[in-house]
Amino acid sequence: MANRTTLVPEKPAKPSAKPKPPKSGSDSVERERIFNLFRDWGYYEATLDPLGIFAPLKFPDLQGLSGEFADEARRIYSGTIGVEFMHLPEPERRRWIAERIEGVQSEVNQRKILERLIRADLFEQVLQSRYLGSKRFSLEGNTSLIPLLDSILDSAGELGGMESVMAMSHRGRLSVMTHIAGKPAHEVVAGFEDVDPRSVLGAGDVKYHVGATGTYTTTAGKSLNIHLVSNPSHLEAVDPVAMGRARAKQTRQGFRGAYVDRSKEVRNRVWTVVMHGDAAFAGQGIWAETLNLADLFAYTVGGTIHIIVNNLIGFTTRPQQEHSSRFASGIAKRQSVPIFHVNAEDPDAVVRIGRLAAEYRAEFNSDVVIDLVGYRRHGHSEVDDPTITQPRLYEAIKNHAPLWKIYAQQTGIAADTIAAGIKTEYEEAQRAAGKLTKMPHLRKLPDYWAPYNRGKYSAEYEVDTGLPQEKITEISDGLVRVPENFHAHPKIVKLLEQRAEMGRGKRPIDFGFAELLAYGSLVLAGTPVRLTGQDTQRGTFNQRHAVLVDTQTEHEYLPIGHLSPTQAFCEIHNSSLSEAACVGFEYGFSRDYPEALILWEAQFGDFANGAQVIIDQFLSASEDKWNLPTGLVLLLPHGYEGQGPEHSSARIERFMQLAAEGNMNICQPSNAAQYFHLLRRQALRPWRKPLIVFTPKSMLRHPDASSSIEEFARPRFLTLVPDNEVQDAHTILLASGKVGHELRAERRRRKDTNTAVWFLDQLYPLPKAEISAAIDAHPNAREIVWVQEEPANMGALFYLLPRLERIAQAKNLRVRSVKRSASASPATGSAKAHELEQKTLITLAFGTSTTS
Ligand SMILES: Cc1ncc(C[n+]2csc(CCOP(=O)(O)OP(=O)(O)O)c2C)c(N)n1
C-alpha cells in the first residue's frame, strides 16, 4: 500500500468533482440506484475493526450487487470508512457529504502522520518502561487519535478557529495533553513522580483527570488556544461542561444566542471537540442529555465534534453487553448528526475524516460524530490483566504490531531514525521530570478572572448591595415597559400594573419582582445575567414572567433585555428537560464568564439530584481538586407544603454535607429584599463561590415574605434575620425558610411575647458570630430551638446542632431541636397527613406545655 492515495478531497471538494460520469441515461439511473443503496447501508459492510473481530455485516439489501457501479460504491462506502448520513433530513447536508465522500481525493502528509503515530506510541512506551505498575490509560491501539486531532485542528485553523475547548476521559488523555494541548512532556511525566505530596493533602486530583491549557500550532503555522477541560472519573460528566465553556467563550466573542450575532464566523472561532469511550458513549445518560442541547438556541455552540475513541471494550465488558445498537454511536442518530466510522488502522482515512468532519461542522454548524475504531493494547489500565476475561482477544493483540510500524511498512517511509530521536526526547523529558521537586502548576486562569478572588472568605469582599428608592423605581419602570404594539395577556397587564406600584413603594415587593429588580440593577450596571431552567421564563410557580408572550403572535419579549442601550446582556431561557446536562453546561459557562451572574433553576429543588454528579464532582469540589473557581448559582424551590415526597425537599442535607473549607454559600432568604441583596451580593462581591439558594414556593407571593421598598435600600444581605417584635425572649426559635414564617404566625396567634423567631438565612458558612451576638441581646433566654420541617435524618439539623451547642454552651443555654421523625422518604404523599405533621411540628416548637 505504498503511497496509497487517500480519499481527501481537494479542499473543499467542488460539487463538480464527481467520479466517472455514467455512459448513458439508463446507466445514470442504475448507478444512482446502486449508490443510494450503499449510501444507505454501506457502513454495515465496512471493515472497521483492525483486528477483524467486529466483522463487516452482510447487509441483506447489498447482497448480490455486482458490476462496475457496485464495485465503485462498495470501495467508497464499505471500505475502511462507513458513513451514516442518509438519516439527515436536510437534502443539502446529504448531498454535501456524498459529494465529498465520492469526490476526487488528494494526498495527505504521510510523513507527518507517521511521526505523530510514533510519538503517540513511544510516549506510552517510555512511561511503561519507567513507571511500571502505574496507571496511565494508554492510547496504544488507537494512536491515530493524534493525527485525527491534528487534522481537525488544522482544518479549524483554516476555517477561522482561534481556540478549541476539548474534553475527554482517561483514555489517551496524557498523550493528548502532550501532543495536542501543548503541555510540555516533562510536566505531564511529572505526574508519575508525584512530588511534593504535602502540597495537596486532601486536595488535588490524579494526573489523568486534570486539565491543560496550551497552544497548538497548525501545519500552516497558526496558533490555536487549547483548553482541555478538567474532568472527574464520572464518564461523560464533562460533556456539557465543555459545551458551556465553549458557549461562554463564543459569548465573549459576540455570539449571544437569541440576542445578538449568530454568524457562522463567530461560531467558527471556538471549536468544541469531545472525546468519548465507546461504552460510555452508548451508556451514559448525561451524554444523551448533552447531545440534545446541540441545536437549542440557549445552548448551541455551533456544532461539537465528537470522537468515540472506540476500542470495542469497556473495562472487561464486551460491546454486546454494552449497547443494543450495532454501533456504540447509535444514539447520535436520533438527531441530524452524521456519523463517520473509520478504521483506526487506516491513518490516511482517519485524517481525511477529520478534515471532512471539521468542514461539515463549519459549514452547517452541526454536531458530527467520528467513530474511531481501534483496540486497547493493555488491560483497562496497565495494572489490569485482560487475558482473564478476553484471552483470545489479547492473544491477537499480543501478536499485532503497533500502528506506526504497520504504517511505516505501508508507506515505505523509513521510521527507525525518527523513532530513535523521539524516544531520546521522551527519555530526556522523563529525566527532567525526575529532577522536579515541585509539581508544575496549572497555567494561570484567563485574564478575565483577574478581578476575582477565590479561596478563603475575607470580610473585605463585602460590598453594599442596597439601592435607593429612586433607583428601584427607575429599574421597575423599565421592567414593566412593553413595546407599543405588544399584545399582553390581560393577567400580565394586571401583573405589570401591580409591579409598577411595587416599584413606586405603593405596595410591598414580592419575591418574583425582587428577583427581576436584582437582575435589572445588575445589567444596568454592566453585569450580565444568564438564567436557565425548566419553565424559567415564566417561572414554575407563575411568579417570574421575565419573558412575556404576545397573545396574537406568540412572539417573546424580554423587558429586562431592553432597559437601556448600554446595559449588559441578559439571557433568560427555558431549558430542556434535563438536570445533569443543563447544570453541567451552566457550570461550564460560569467557568469562562466570571463577570456574569449565572443561575440555573430547578423546577422543584427535589429534581436537582438529577444533577448530583455535577454538584458533587464539579460545583462543590472543583476548586479543591483543580483550583478552578466558579460562581454558579442554583435556585432550588424548597418547602414542605403537602405536595408529596418529590415536591418538598431540595435536600438541604446533601448540600450541608458537601460544605467544607468555605467551598460554597448555602442560603435560604426569608423575604424578597433578602433575595434581592443575596443575588446582588453574589454578583458584586469580587469573590467567586457557588451559591445554593433554597427558594420559596407558597411564600413567593405571601405578604409575610414580601418586603417594603425601604428594605431594598438596607446596605446588605443579613445572614441571620433576628426578630424585632420580641425584646427579651426566654426561648429562641431558630429556623430557615417557610417554617420560620409559620412560627411567627403561630406566635402572633398565641400572643406569645416570650418567644423570638429568627431566620437563619445563611446556612453555610454558618454566621456563628452573628448568632452569638443575637443571643447576647436576650440575656434571659433559656433555650434555643432549631426548628426544621425536614425529617430528623434530613435538613440542616446534623450540621447545625453540634455547632449551636458549642455556641450555647458558653451562654448556659439549652439546645433543642424540633423536626419530623426520621424517614426514608422526604415527605408524606397525603396533604392531610402533611397538615397534621406541620401542626404538630409548630406546636412542639412552642413547647409541649403550651400546646393549644
Ligand atoms: C459513570 C461511571 N461509571 C463507571 C465508571 C468506571 N469505569 C471507568 S472506565 C470504565 C470503562 C469505560 O469504557 P469505555 O467508555 O469504552 O472507555 P475505555 O476505558 O475503553 O477507553 C468504567 C466502567 C466511571 N468511571 N464512571
Side-chain angles (χ1 to χ4, degrees):
M1 266 215 261
N3 280 329
R4 167 164 58 172
T5 19
T6 63
L7 305 178
V8 179
E10 295 290 350
K11 51 150 193 154
K14 302 199 172 54
S16 60
K18 285 232 174 101
K20 290 187 192 166
K23 291 166 198 138
S24 69
S26 62
D27 266 4
S28 154
V29 172
E30 177 60 0
R31 182 181 186 280
E32 199 56 12
R33 183 184 76 81
I34 289 182
F35 262 72
N36 268 338
L37 283 167
F38 277 93
R39 287 169 191 145
D40 274 333
W41 310 116
Y43 61 93
Y44 277 106
E45 292 201 347
T47 302
L48 299 173
D49 177 7
L51 303 176
I53 295 167
F54 178 65
L57 188 77
K58 292 279 161 238
F59 197 79
D61 299 46
L62 302 181
Q63 295 315 293
L65 292 175
S66 59
E68 185 190 349
F69 299 143
D71 289 350
E72 191 191 347
R74 190 167 274 124
R75 180 181 58 75
I76 294 170
Y77 284 107
S78 305
T80 50
I81 292 173
V83 194
E84 289 187 70
F85 70 114
M86 294 300 276
H87 61 284
L88 305 181
E90 302 87 352
E92 71 280 7
R93 293 190 184 191
R94 294 199 301 273
R95 204 175 312 120
W96 191 99
I97 291 173
E99 281 170 4
R100 276 150 184 84
I101 289 283
E102 295 164 26
V104 175
Q105 311 303 315
S106 68
E107 295 285 325
V108 292
N109 185 342
Q110 294 184 321
R111 186 166 288 277
K112 181 176 174 193
I113 292 174
L114 176 63
E115 196 238 62
R116 300 293 275 171
L117 291 175
I118 296 173
R119 281 191 176 278
D121 229 291
L122 295 190
F123 175 73
E124 303 286 357
Q125 279 170 26
V126 168
L127 292 176
Q128 174 76 4
S129 63
R130 299 299 156 112
Y131 303 103
L132 198 67
S134 280
K135 293 185 197 179
R136 66 176 192 282
F137 300 104
S138 158
L139 188 60
E140 290 156 278
N142 245 327
T143 47
S144 51
L145 175 67
I146 300 301
L148 174 62
L149 290 170
D150 286 333
S151 85
I152 291 170
L153 292 175
D154 273 350
S155 306
E158 284 169 29
L159 295 161
M162 291 160 66
E163 53 189 326
S164 175
V165 177
M166 296 188 145
M168 67 187 302
S169 62
H170 50 287
R171 180 82 48 215
R173 189 175 173 98
L174 299 177
S175 185
V176 170
M177 279 181 175
T178 311
H179 300 117
I180 302 293
K183 192 164 166 151
H186 76 275
E187 288 193 11
V188 175
V189 179
F192 289 84
E193 296 289 333
D194 207 2
V195 291
D196 197 17
R198 285 183 179 281
S199 66
V200 286
L201 283 174
D205 201 351
V206 292
K207 50 192 167 292
Y208 39 82
H209 287 164
V210 291
T213 301
T215 306
Y216 179 89
T217 308
T218 68
T219 310
K222 186 172 177 186
S223 294
L224 294 182
N225 293 330
I226 307 290
H227 310 273
L228 181 64
V229 184
S230 300
N231 72 177
S233 240
H234 292 61
L235 295 165
E236 304 296 331
V238 74
D239 304 350
V241 177
M243 267 183 85
R245 290 198 59 186
R247 173 68 177 240
K249 286 175 181 295
Q250 289 177 342
T251 305
R252 305 193 78 84
Q253 306 241 356
F255 169 64
R256 288 212 301 276
Y259 307 112
V260 234
D261 188 350
R262 293 204 72 192
S263 74
K264 264 189 203 173
E265 193 239 323
V266 171
R267 285 190 274 182
N268 286 345
R269 285 186 208 154
V270 183
W271 287 64
T272 319
V273 179
V274 179
M275 288 154 266
H276 315 253
D278 49 311
F281 191 93
Q284 289 294 312
I286 189 170
W287 148 237
E289 289 182 23
T290 307
L291 176 65
N292 186 45
L293 302 182
D295 297 326
L296 302 185
F297 215 44
Y299 299 96
T300 183
V301 293
T304 298
I305 297 183
H306 299 278
I307 302 170
I308 307 176
V309 186
N310 190 345
N311 48 27
L312 296 169
I313 195 163
F315 214 134
T316 65
T317 307
R318 292 188 300 277
Q320 299 88 320
Q321 298 171 305
E322 295 280 12
H323 39 88
S324 296
S325 49
R326 172 170 164 83
F327 297 97
S329 56
I331 190 168
K333 224 173 156 178
R334 75 173 183 186
Q335 280 164 228
S336 180
V337 173
I339 300 163
F340 298 97
H341 307 278
V342 58
N343 187 320
E345 242 169 42
D346 184 350
D348 295 0
V350 169
V351 164
R352 169 203 172 207
I353 289 301
R355 168 169 286 274
L356 194 70
E359 288 175 350
Y360 184 88
R361 184 260 175 209
E363 179 69 20
F364 299 108
N365 280 142
S366 151
D367 278 26
V368 190
V369 174
I370 300 170
D371 179 21
L372 180 70
V373 187
Y375 62 94
R376 188 186 73 193
R377 178 159 292 282
H378 308 284
H380 172 59
S381 78
E382 293 65 35
V383 296
D384 206 76
D385 180 359
T387 62
I388 298 166
T389 47
Q390 276 81 23
R392 280 157 57 89
L393 172 64
Y394 276 83
E395 187 58 27
I397 289 173
K398 198 171 80 186
N399 297 322
H400 198 82
L403 178 55
W404 68 269
K405 288 198 173 158
I406 299 173
Y407 191 65
Q409 210 174 26
Q410 285 172 352
T411 54
I413 304 172
D416 289 350
T417 323
I418 310 175
I422 290 172
K423 190 162 184 220
T424 308
E425 196 185 306
Y426 289 141
E427 282 170 348
E428 272 166 18
Q430 189 275 324
R431 274 195 289 279
K435 286 186 194 140
L436 290 172
T437 51
K438 286 235 173 291
M439 272 302 283
H441 272 285
L442 289 176
R443 306 247 171 129
K444 74 175 183 61
L445 291 174
D447 288 347
Y448 41 80
W449 271 97
Y452 302 100
N453 299 285
R454 49 191 146 151
K456 282 206 165 54
Y457 170 77
S458 160
E460 282 173 24
Y461 301 149
E462 294 299 343
V463 290
D464 282 356
T465 51
L467 289 178
Q469 178 162 348
E470 314 80 74
K471 189 70 195 170
I472 295 288
T473 306
E474 179 200 323
I475 303 163
S476 162
D477 286 351
L479 289 173
V480 299
R481 208 167 35 226
V482 290
E484 253 172 41
N485 54 357
F486 186 84
H487 308 97
H489 191 283
K491 287 184 179 165
I492 295 298
V493 172
K494 186 141 184 276
L495 176 86
L496 295 181
E497 282 166 10
Q498 288 173 353
R499 286 183 167 176
E501 289 179 10
M502 290 180 198
R504 293 179 176 270
K506 292 186 182 151
R507 60 160 70 213
I509 298 173
D510 64 14
F511 256 89
F513 199 45
E515 182 191 44
L516 293 184
L517 287 168
Y519 301 152
S521 71
L522 291 171
V523 295
L524 279 172
T527 299
V529 173
R530 176 180 159 94
L531 166 66
T532 58
Q534 289 153 25
D535 307 292
T536 282
Q537 294 182 329
R538 187 202 72 169
T540 299
F541 310 99
N542 205 23
Q543 83 282 14
R544 181 172 290 117
H545 297 285
V547 176
L548 309 179
V549 178
D550 187 299
T551 52
Q552 295 190 9
T553 61
E554 283 201 10
H555 287 166
E556 292 180 349
Y557 183 70
L558 177 81
I560 203 169
H562 299 88
L563 295 181
S564 143
T566 55
Q567 70 172 77
F569 72 81
C570 179
E571 295 183 23
I572 300 186
H573 300 292
N574 289 341
S575 74
S576 81
L577 213 172
S578 135
E579 284 76 28
C582 289
V583 183
F585 187 99
E586 301 309 327
Y587 165 83
F589 198 103
S590 74
R591 289 276 312 103
D592 283 278
Y593 227 123
E595 312 94 301
L597 181 66
I598 314 292
L599 312 98
W600 175 81
E601 180 180 57
Q603 185 106 67
F604 282 77
D606 309 63
F607 304 112
N609 59 8
Q612 202 64 49
V613 173
I614 302 293
I615 293 165
D616 291 347
Q617 266 56 45
F618 290 91
L619 209 57
S620 71
S622 75
E623 197 176 338
D624 199 44
K625 291 193 290 189
W626 309 315
N627 209 5
L628 296 176
T630 164
L632 181 63
V633 182
L634 301 189
L635 303 178
L636 310 178
H638 175 86
Y640 281 58
E641 301 178 351
Q643 294 195 63
E646 277 87 42
H647 291 79
S648 296
S649 175
R651 300 290 200 165
I652 290 179
E653 62 278 6
R654 299 256 164 85
F655 292 94
M656 299 311 291
Q657 194 210 16
L658 290 171
E661 303 178 90
N663 62 339
M664 50 181 144
N665 293 286
I666 304 176
C667 297
Q668 182 157 220
S670 51
N671 62 48
Q674 278 283 85
Y675 189 33
F676 170 88
H677 288 290
L678 177 62
L679 293 172
R680 284 178 49 79
R681 182 184 86 164
Q682 178 70 0
L684 298 177
R685 282 199 296 206
W687 185 53
R688 288 292 171 259
K689 290 283 159 180
L691 169 64
I692 314 301
V693 192
F694 299 105
T695 55
K697 294 177 287 187
S698 64
M699 298 309 290
L700 280 166
R701 273 175 293 271
H702 199 289
D704 288 354
S706 298
S707 305
S708 69
I709 201 162
E710 290 79 27
E711 288 174 85
F712 290 71
R714 168 167 40 79
R716 288 180 189 176
F717 173 73
L718 303 174
T719 51
L720 176 76
V721 182
D723 194 338
N724 298 327
E725 291 173 40
V726 175
Q727 301 308 327
D728 185 14
H730 293 175
T731 299
I732 297 160
L733 302 183
L734 184 63
S736 189
K738 174 180 73 77
V739 70
H741 291 289
E742 289 173 348
L743 291 170
R744 284 203 176 168
E746 176 68 10
R747 187 191 56 198
R748 281 197 291 274
R749 201 182 64 74
R750 290 172 178 242
K751 302 195 175 49
D752 179 339
T753 52
N754 289 327
T755 307
V757 180
W758 298 349
F759 287 94
L760 186 59
D761 276 20
Q762 181 165 296
L763 295 158
Y764 184 84
L766 186 64
K768 293 183 205 153
E770 285 81 352
I771 296 173
S772 182
I775 292 174
D776 291 343
H778 296 269
N780 295 311
R782 288 192 298 270
E783 64 169 359
I784 183 161
V785 188
W786 170 248
V787 187
Q788 67 171 37
E789 297 182 294
E790 299 83 7
N793 54 328
M794 300 176 194
L797 180 75
F798 79 95
Y799 182 87
L800 278 174
L801 223 52
R803 288 164 177 82
L804 274 184
E805 269 160 8
R806 237 169 284 151
I807 297 171
Q809 220 168 31
K811 302 175 192 291
N812 260 335
L813 216 60
R814 199 161 72 95
V815 177
R816 202 158 61 87
S817 65
V818 175
K819 63 273 174 189
R820 282 179 165 77
S821 306
S823 167
S825 89
T828 171
S830 150
K832 286 194 177 146
H834 161 79
E835 266 178 48
L836 282 173
E837 288 175 9
Q838 199 75 359
K839 213 168 164 198
T840 312
L841 188 89
I842 303 293
T843 306
L844 285 173
F846 282 87
T848 39
S849 55
T850 50
T851 307
S852 59

